[in-house]
Structure formats: structure tokens, C-alpha cells
Amino acid sequence: MFLGFAWYWWLMIAAVLILSIPFKIKFMKRWSKRRQEKNQHGKWGDDE
């Protein structure tokens, strides 16, 4: 036992972390695309 958890709990935690990485990458790509679309307007907002 390490920090009070059995070995299989550490295996479950590691699996959840590994599976969450692709979702985080997809979320970050979507977030940056949204910020870029928001910043494409002119200096004073919608006037182009």
C-alpha cells in the first residue's frame, strides 16, 4: 500500500489520467480556436 491505496486503485487512477489526456487536448484546441475567432475583429470591435 502506498499512501493508503491498494495497487489496483493506483492502476485505476493512472488509467483515468491517461484516458483524459486526449479529451484535454481536444478541449484546448477548441478553446484556442474560439479565442482566435474572437480576436479577429478590428481594434474597436466589429468595425472593419
Side-chain angles (χ1 to χ4, degrees), residues 2-34:
F2 182 67
L3 294 177
F5 290 130
W7 65 271
Y8 52 87
W9 284 112
W10 285 113
L11 200 63
M12 297 273 275
I13 291 169
V16 168
L17 289 175
I18 289 169
L19 290 174
S20 68
I21 289 171
F23 293 109
K24 182 179 180 182
I25 291 171
K26 189 178 289 189
F27 174 77
M28 293 302 286
K29 284 183 180 178
R30 188 177 294 166
W31 185 264
S32 66
K33 183 188 279 187
R34 182 177 286 174

